[in-house]
Amino acid sequence: MAEQWYVGRNGQKAGPYSTEQLKQMAAAGQLVTSDLLWKQGLESWVPCTEVKGLLPAMPGGTLPPLDLPSRNAGEWNPYQASIAGDLAVDASQAIVYADFLPRVGAYLLDAIFIGLISMILQFGLLILFGIAAGGDDGMLAAGNAIGSLLGLAVTMAYFVGYETSAKQGTWGKQILGIKVTDMEGRRITTGRAIGRFFAKIVSGLTCGIGFLLPLFTDRKQTLHDLICGCLALKK
């Protein structure tokens, strides 16, 4: 598939254009040096003069009529890359926040998955330590402690691994059509995912009120979402 470029100017966006079309526009004086360019794969918009070998010297001119709706600077920042991974999708597409009940359902499904995995691991450890202990209470207590720590590690790896993956959600969230993002709709980083995992403790310390906040917040965020700057969105 040929490269597809977008052109940004004064808070407006036009495109997509092929590389050959851009060269023709530049030769016809339809691009100016202050124009910005973006294509899939770039992290941010770049001045067209920084795309070496793409455009000739440009004395000035005006863009042809935009084929996408105009946006003011408050709605679209041309210095940021499009949050729509597919170039055919308009970056202004509405974000749909996940409802409270589907989030509860996803949490219950995850609790079942994690509970089964942790139970199997801890049961196996108890058998191993029980055999090795030979009736020693100290060894059995150590087995219980290690099993609990292993259960915590597996739970954290489950949530962090899946929420930072391309799926952007655990098994429960995938089944219910929910994904976790940052405030710009992007995949969250490992650090943010770890912070969100432990921030759930804070939500729990509020007698569960932190988990009920999606019923009252505009973006349907829990307390741990607010703490870590995350959103739960419908796919």
Side-chain angles (χ1 to χ4, degrees), residues 1 4 38-42 84-87:
M1 177 178 173
Q4 297 288 297
W38 182 82
K39 66 174 181 177
Q40 192 172 23
L42 290 179
D86 185 348
L87 294 178

Side-chain angles (χ1 to χ4, degrees), residues 120-202:
I120 293 171
L121 290 173
Q122 291 184 13
F123 184 70
L125 281 175
L126 283 175
I127 292 176
L128 290 175
F129 273 84
I131 295 173
D136 186 344
D137 291 340
M139 285 288 289
L140 290 174
N144 278 324
I146 293 174
S148 297
L149 289 174
L150 183 59
L152 175 63
V154 168
T155 302
M156 185 175 71
Y158 172 79
F159 280 95
V160 173
Y162 275 108
E163 290 179 357
T164 57
S165 71
K167 298 292 186 180
Q168 294 181 266
T170 56
W171 289 341
K173 290 184 177 68
Q174 291 176 44
I175 292 171
L176 273 296
I178 299 172
K179 65 179 180 179
V180 178
T181 75
D182 65 11
M183 298 304 291
E184 285 74 42
R186 300 171 300 197
R187 189 190 308 183
I188 61 175
T189 62
T190 299
R192 192 184 295 269
I194 292 173
R196 186 174 184 272
F197 176 79
F198 285 106
K200 291 177 183 177
I201 298 174
V202 181

